[in-house]
Amino acid sequence: MVPRRKNNVKPPPDTCPLRECLGVIGGVWTPGIIWHLGHSPRTFSELKSDLKGVSAKVLSSRLKKLAADGVLERIVKPTSPPTVEYSLTDLGGELKPAIEAIVAVGLRLKERRATTR
């Protein structure tokens, strides 16, 4: 029998910052929303078009949650009819490098899988 090694890593704080951040950006559509808003402000219909396959209900729910979390800002333009535009806040902008890094690793994983098949 192999002896069990002692864990010398300090436990995370009660409110783990990693868990907190992943709770915000986790999910199928949220990283894509941040990706598209990281390049320019977008309207709801533009985001719906950008994110192929997302339902209006799910997109609306994600946008509301991201706004509540302080990641994006909802701006109502005084047009007729009113136009609603979404953009990243300063806090949301800080997530861009993380999303870009995840995309870069995802591309390398995809390439690796393609060459091993």
Side-chain angles (χ1 to χ4, degrees):
M1 176 180 247
V2 178
R4 187 170 189 150
R5 294 178 282 190
K6 184 177 183 205
N7 183 356
N8 294 323
V9 178
K10 291 181 184 177
D14 288 339
T15 55
C16 177
L18 182 60
R19 185 175 294 155
E20 188 74 27
C21 187
L22 290 176
V24 170
I25 66 169
V28 176
W29 303 107
T30 305
I33 293 169
I34 295 169
W35 173 267
H36 288 290
L37 292 178
H39 292 87
S40 67
R42 308 291 284 162
T43 65
F44 182 89
S45 58
E46 290 169 336
L47 284 169
K48 184 145 177 17
S49 176
D50 294 338
L51 302 165
K52 305 286 187 251
V54 67
S55 71
K57 180 180 178 181
V58 169
L59 180 57
S60 178
S61 169
R62 295 292 190 275
L63 291 170
K64 285 178 185 174
K65 182 179 182 322
L66 288 169
D69 289 337
V71 172
L72 62 83
E73 181 177 26
R74 183 180 186 269
I75 303 154
V76 180
K77 301 280 184 171
T79 58
S80 181
T83 304
V84 178
E85 195 172 75
Y86 298 91
S87 63
L88 291 180
T89 61
D90 290 341
L91 179 62
E94 291 180 37
L95 291 170
K96 279 177 52 178
I99 298 298
E100 289 167 355
I102 291 168
V103 168
V105 171
L107 288 171
R108 287 198 306 276
L109 287 169
K110 194 173 181 179
E111 289 170 3
R112 186 169 189 267
R113 287 188 187 125
T115 60
T116 58
R117 286 186 184 162

